[in-house]
């Protein structure tokens, strides 16, 4: 029985071997789902690299039991993203869900039920952390979010 971390690393290697940058199909799908979100991205090329990389590394970090750095990074993410207005939770969930869907598509033959279950498990953990961080900032700094 392989660990979640081992399963996830194997699928990341398969994605790298595909030669396709995950961020391109991922952002295309995400913007197709939420077309009004595209305008919020001033520099989509730079942001798509960091947003994709950090999402993947947060899930992998959780799988490896590395909450000591994932936790603070999630807190920072929730704080910096307040600058973009009140981002709907459904878009966050969809971002993480689509990251895993597109990852599976690019991993091709290397993708299987155990790998998918590992990513979904860690994705759900990441959602719980982000949700808690968002609520925490709202309570600590009410009214900070632009437009509210
Ligand atoms: C796990 C989830 C996410 C992570 C780890 C993440 C991470 C990041 C990072 C690292 C950046 C780049 C910041 C910079 O370069 O200064 C960024 C930018 C951004 N993110 Fe996210 N993000 C996530 C989810 C989301 C979601 C769900 C939304 C919208 C609903 C969103 C909207 C944005 C916007 C609007 C920018 C700025 C883009 C720009 O100005 O070009 N992010 N994100």
């Amino acid at each position: 029985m392989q660990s979640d971390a081992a399963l996830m690393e194997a699928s990341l290697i398969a994605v790298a071997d595909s030669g396709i940058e995950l961020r391109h199909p991922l952002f295309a799908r995400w913007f197709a789902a939420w077309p009004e979100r595209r305008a919020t991205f001033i520099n989509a090329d730079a942001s798509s690299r960091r947003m994709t990389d950090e999402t993947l590394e947060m899930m992998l970090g959780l799988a490896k039991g590395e909450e000591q750095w994932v936790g603070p990074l999630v807190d920072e993410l929730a704080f910096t993203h307040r600058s973009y207005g009140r981002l709907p939770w459904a878009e966050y969930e969809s971002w993480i869900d689509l990251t895993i869907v597109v990852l599976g598509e690019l991993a091709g033959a290397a993708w299987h039920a155990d790998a998918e279950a590992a990513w979904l498990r860690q994705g759900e953990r990441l959602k719980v952390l982000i949700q808690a961080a968002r609520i925490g900032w709202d309570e600590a700094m009410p009214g900070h979010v632009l437009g509210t």
Side-chain angles (χ1 to χ4, degrees):
M1 177 91 179
Q2 282 189 292
S3 67
D4 280 7
L7 289 162
M8 292 163 77
E9 278 173 346
S11 36
L12 286 175
I13 290 168
V15 170
D17 288 344
S18 77
I20 299 170
E21 280 186 63
L22 177 66
R23 69 191 177 104
H24 292 308
L26 173 55
F27 267 83
R29 293 274 282 275
W30 191 57
F31 283 151
W34 309 99
E36 74 289 352
R37 179 58 53 210
R38 189 184 285 270
T40 330
F41 281 75
I42 297 165
N43 186 343
D45 183 59
S47 299
S48 63
R49 295 170 197 269
R50 289 198 55 205
M51 214 163 114
T52 306
D53 285 356
E54 289 195 13
T55 302
L56 294 172
E57 71 188 16
M58 282 172 177
M59 287 191 272
L60 188 58
L62 288 174
K64 290 182 170 176
E66 296 173 355
E67 288 83 356
Q68 75 277 11
W69 66 259
V70 178
L73 192 57
V74 169
D75 287 345
E76 189 190 311
L77 148 80
F79 184 79
T80 56
H81 280 59
R82 286 160 66 95
S83 305
Y84 311 128
R86 183 165 289 284
L87 300 176
W89 179 244
E91 293 187 37
Y92 265 93
E93 289 202 298
S94 139
W95 167 254
I96 292 170
D97 293 344
L98 277 176
T99 300
I100 297 169
V101 168
V102 175
L103 205 143
E105 289 170 1
L106 294 189
W111 193 244
H112 49 82
D114 286 351
E116 184 177 28
W119 280 102
L120 289 174
R121 206 161 19 246
Q122 303 308 328
E124 290 308 310
R125 291 182 68 200
L126 180 56
K127 287 179 191 173
V128 170
L129 287 183
I130 296 173
Q131 181 73 295
R134 279 162 54 104
I135 292 168
W137 284 119
D138 284 349
E139 286 171 358
M141 302 178 75
H144 167 80
V145 176
L146 293 176
T148 60

